Amino acid sequence: MSDRLDGEKSETVAWRTPRWLRGPRPESVPTLIGTAGVVVGLLNLAAGMFPRFRHSRMHALAEVLPGAVSPLAAAASIVVGILLLLLAHGLKRRKRRAWVAAVALLPVGIAAQLVYRHSIIGAVLSLLLLVFLVWHRSEFAALPDPRSRWKAVANFIVLGGVSFAIGMVIVSAHPHKIVGSPSFWDKAQHVLWGMFGFEGPVGYTHKVDYTVGYSLGALGLLTVATTAYLAFRPEHPVARLTADDEQRLRELLAKHGGRDSLGYFALRHDKGAVFSPTGKAAVCYRVISGVMLASGDPIGDVEAWPGAIERFMEEARAHSWTPAVTGCSETGGQVWTRETGMDALELGDEAIVDVPDFTLSGRAMRNVRQMVKRIERNGYETRVRRVRDLEPAELARIQRAADAWRDTDTERGFSMALGRIDAVTDGDAVIATAHLAPAEGEADGPFGDLKAMQHYVPWGTDGISLELMRRDRDADPGMNELLIVASLQAAPDLKIKRVSLNFAVFRSSLERGEKLGAGPVIRIWRGTLVFLSRWYQIESLYKFNDKFQPRWEPRFVVFRNSRDIPRIGLATLQAEGYLELGLPRVLRRRKGTEPQPCVHTAEAAPPAVEKVA
């Protein structure tokens, strides 16, 4: 006992003064440098594209900017401008590689000033900027993000299009020195040929063809070089749950898994984990679009949470990721905000049904009771079992049915989804299935008499949490209600006392907005949520959960500042599978010959495919 208290005490002392809060840090330096990179990049780009700019009143300003602006150096000016624009975001995020690239570009600018412009002032200012970057090199220590082939493809398409547009401006920027009157198609061909290093059909006088040729060739070279860099740069490992991390998490869940209904979802294989110094707590996360997104509360002993949170924040700072937490409880939100100084916002409520209090009797349960009785009269029967008790052949059939009945190309869910049905690693999970024997003379379906299924993951030793709901499109409406009621009625035999159902986003706003006397602001907000429910299950999921008379437990999102909310929302949509940024479907490589997903039919209950936020 004394060793345990000593370990916790030492960990508590370590997190009371987090490193990211120890003393003032010039956080504005990377932001200022990134903004300066945008301004200087635009000026260099304009100087290379528009010849009149070099003879206007801005000539004096162009003299002191890195990069030559003579006709021979127009291509260098354009390349430097584009590279500075590309590096600006990385400099703001304190990326080490962006700093290295900026430091490597400045000597090129200095050489251009001295060789082509003979500008001592420009060279001196570039040298001062280089010294300033080297002096603050400790500010640019963020590690690179995980490599993505999609970034290389996106760079080739986007930068190629931008380069083509800039090339059209360059070709047309010398109207009085063009030979003849070339058409738009001739200019477009000239740009395309020039980006590949060949001469096009447009001719110029006064040696302007050299300036245009160098500029177009530089644009093409820049597009190819940046695409090749993104495609072949050294890979930084993506966060994945290792076998050792999974074993440590399972040990923590065995001791403290009953505290949070979302704890078991930490075992998703696409999540990473950071542990407290004593190993008694962990935070599981996934990095999406530069957001380090944690889900639920930390796993493990509450007393050790601060140590795990500190490690999480250190990891976010090391990579310059935006830290955020989605779906944490009220206790978790209090610890997160206290230890990090971040803010919390109520995201919605989780529906929890206490098994001893559940009954189908009473007026409030009339609709559910009638629907269940009607389905049972149609010949459906239900079975609720632990996953480990299923025969291998039946489990395989359920897995195939779950994949075939999915109405999306990819598995949805992140914070409240496990993404697998496995009897070996998740044998304590619960499967509820609905069966309908075929009529006389009819053949069995592709999955036998199976018509619907639900998957629940363990919540401590006496609870389960709904993870997945799937149904055959030909099954009768009400399969979700039938299986939830069957699971609640079978829970006492499985020694289950509480069941966590779906998560209802902004439930309290929907509830207050429909009450008598609600103010105009809450009514407008409720109307907005109802409108968005046409595409996202907001109101329908709340109404569905409310049928079972649950108790509502609030869930929160934790964020650093209000400016990060749109970015966190975008990352959450990507994590949950509602927004996918990748190659078009026609370009994706097919994976085997898995059954094609079916679309759910409309029914009284919402087609809650997964338990997602």
Side-chain angles (χ1 to χ4, degrees):
M1 178 65 70
S2 59
D3 295 339
R4 179 178 183 272
L5 294 177
D6 292 342
E8 292 175 354
K9 182 177 180 181
S10 62
E11 185 173 340
T12 303
V13 173
W15 58 256
R16 286 195 180 278
T17 53
R19 293 182 181 179
W20 64 91
L21 294 177
R22 296 172 188 171
R25 296 182 62 88
E27 297 291 346
S28 60
V29 171
T31 303
L32 291 176
I33 291 179
T35 303
V38 173
V39 175
V40 174
L42 291 175
L43 292 175
N44 276 272
L45 193 60
M49 291 171 56
F50 304 104
R52 295 180 181 177
F53 178 78
R54 295 193 294 270
H55 302 286
S56 64
R57 295 181 179 179
M58 295 295 293
H59 177 71
L61 179 61
E63 286 280 351
V64 299
L65 295 177
V69 292
S70 64
L72 187 62
S77 180
I78 293 173
V79 170
V80 169
I82 294 178
L83 288 177
L84 287 175
L85 292 176
L86 295 176
L87 293 173
H89 182 64
L91 291 174
K92 289 182 179 180
R93 295 184 60 197
R94 304 182 298 106
K95 290 297 183 180
R96 184 68 177 181
R97 289 182 178 178
W99 177 87
V100 171
V103 170
L105 279 175
L106 282 174
V108 176
I110 294 174
Q113 293 286 352
L114 294 177
V115 174
Y116 298 114
R117 300 273 318 163
H118 306 289
S119 175
I120 302 298
I121 297 178
V124 170
L125 290 178
S126 298
L127 181 61
L128 290 176
L129 180 58
L130 177 62
V131 172
F132 185 78
L133 284 173
V134 174
W135 181 264
H136 292 281
R137 61 185 179 275
S138 60
E139 290 299 313
F140 301 89
L143 300 175
D145 293 336
R147 184 177 65 183
S148 173
R149 303 295 185 186
W150 163 245
K151 291 182 179 180
V153 177
N155 179 84
F156 180 79
I157 296 174
V158 175
L159 188 56
V162 172
S163 298
F164 178 80
I166 293 175
M168 290 296 294
V169 174
I170 294 173
V171 171
S172 305
H174 308 269
H176 301 294
K177 299 179 181 179
I178 296 179
V179 178
S181 300
S183 63
F184 177 85
W185 175 241
D186 292 334
K187 294 180 180 179
Q189 291 185 77
H190 193 84
V191 172
L192 293 175
W193 283 111
M195 291 177 64
F196 285 97
F198 301 100
E199 294 185 3
V202 181
Y204 296 89
T205 61
H206 299 85
K207 298 183 179 180
V208 175
D209 52 341
Y210 289 104
T211 302
V212 174
Y214 290 150
S215 301
L216 296 179
L219 288 174
L221 181 61
L222 178 63
T223 302
V224 174
T226 54
T227 301
Y229 167 75
L230 292 174
F232 301 106
R233 62 178 173 169
E235 183 173 7
H236 186 77
V238 181
R240 286 290 184 270
L241 196 65
T242 64
D244 180 62
D245 289 343
E246 182 176 357
Q247 180 61 33
R248 296 174 66 184
L249 288 176
R250 289 186 181 276
E251 293 175 358
L252 294 178
L253 288 172
K255 298 179 181 179
H256 309 282
R259 208 207 59 82
D260 186 13
S261 63
L262 308 187
Y264 201 85
F265 299 117
L267 299 177
R268 286 178 61 99
H269 291 158
D270 60 354
K271 288 183 178 181
V274 289
F275 291 84
S276 64
T278 58
K280 297 178 181 179
V283 175
C284 297
Y285 67 93
R286 183 180 173 187
V287 179
I288 301 177
S289 299
V291 177
M292 190 175 183
L293 189 64
S295 59
D297 293 342
I299 307 299
D301 191 350
V302 177
E303 295 294 332
W305 282 7
I309 291 175
E310 181 183 4
R311 291 286 180 87
F312 176 87
M313 298 299 292
E314 289 177 350
E315 187 77 6
R317 179 173 176 80
H319 294 268
S320 191
W321 291 330
T322 300
V325 186
T326 179
C328 65
S329 67
E330 187 172 1
T331 301
Q334 290 174 350
V335 177
W336 274 101
T337 54
R338 185 183 70 236
E339 302 304 324
T340 64
M342 296 196 293
D343 294 326
L345 179 68
E346 185 173 344
L347 183 62
D349 297 270
E350 178 186 10
I352 299 176
V353 178
D354 294 316
V355 174
D357 299 333
F358 176 76
T359 178
L360 283 177
S361 304
R363 184 178 180 84
M365 300 297 295
R366 179 181 177 183
N367 291 336
V368 176
R369 182 172 63 251
Q370 290 178 346
M371 180 172 291
V372 171
K373 294 298 183 182
R374 177 180 56 82
I375 297 175
E376 290 178 345
R377 285 195 300 268
N378 291 340
Y380 286 87
E381 65 174 17
T382 58
R383 303 169 191 168
V384 181
R385 295 155 291 175
R386 296 283 184 180
V387 174
R388 62 171 176 265
D389 297 331
L390 295 174
E391 294 294 333
E394 184 178 5
L395 178 60
R397 184 168 65 251
I398 293 175
Q399 292 171 336
R400 293 196 305 270
D403 290 336
W405 294 339
R406 185 176 61 223
D407 61 353
T408 56
D409 291 339
T410 57
E411 194 77 48
R412 280 183 176 176
F414 167 68
S415 58
M416 300 179 183
L418 186 63
R420 65 177 183 267
I421 303 175
D422 194 336
V424 177
T425 60
D426 311 304
D428 289 335
V430 174
I431 283 284
T433 55
H435 304 265
L436 177 65
E440 185 177 354
E442 293 184 359
D444 287 339
F447 309 107
D449 61 352
L450 182 64
K451 295 299 180 182
M453 58 81 60
Q454 290 182 357
H455 185 226
Y456 298 81
V457 299
W459 174 13
T461 58
D462 60 352
I464 53 176
S465 184
L466 178 60
E467 188 262 340
L468 188 68
M469 294 195 293
R470 297 278 168 81
R471 59 181 293 277
D472 188 351
R473 63 178 181 179
D474 296 327
D476 291 353
M479 289 292 103
N480 292 329
E481 287 91 335
L482 175 67
L483 289 180
I484 289 178
V485 170
S487 300
L488 291 171
Q489 292 176 339
D493 295 334
L494 298 175
K495 299 181 180 181
I496 293 172
K497 299 180 180 179
R498 50 186 178 169
V499 177
S500 171
L501 299 180
N502 294 285
F503 177 77
V505 183
F506 301 123
R507 181 205 65 86
S508 58
S509 300
L510 291 169
E511 184 181 37
R512 291 196 303 266
E514 63 185 2
K515 289 183 177 180
L516 182 65
V521 176
I522 190 64
R523 287 185 179 275
I524 292 174
W525 176 230
R526 181 183 181 278
T528 303
L529 295 176
V530 173
F531 175 77
L532 294 176
S533 296
R534 298 180 180 181
W535 298 278
Y536 301 99
Q537 299 174 21
I538 300 177
E539 184 186 30
S540 59
L541 198 55
Y542 157 57
K543 295 294 186 182
F544 174 75
N545 291 328
D546 200 48
K547 293 179 181 180
F548 304 96
Q549 302 299 304
R551 57 182 172 90
W552 297 99
E553 293 291 338
R555 291 284 175 173
F556 299 84
V557 57
V558 180
F559 54 93
R560 188 169 52 186
N561 54 63
S562 300
R563 296 190 304 271
D564 295 334
I565 292 179
R567 188 176 184 183
I568 295 171
L570 180 65
T572 303
L573 289 176
Q574 291 179 252
E576 298 290 356
Y578 286 103
L579 179 63
E580 185 177 357
L581 301 180
L583 292 174
R585 185 180 300 181
V586 295
L587 298 180
R588 297 175 191 167
R589 186 174 56 184
R590 298 187 63 182
K591 298 180 181 181
T593 58
E594 298 178 358
Q596 295 300 313
C598 301
V599 179
H600 291 286
T601 56
E603 60 180 68
V609 182
E610 287 89 12
K611 178 181 178 182
V612 296

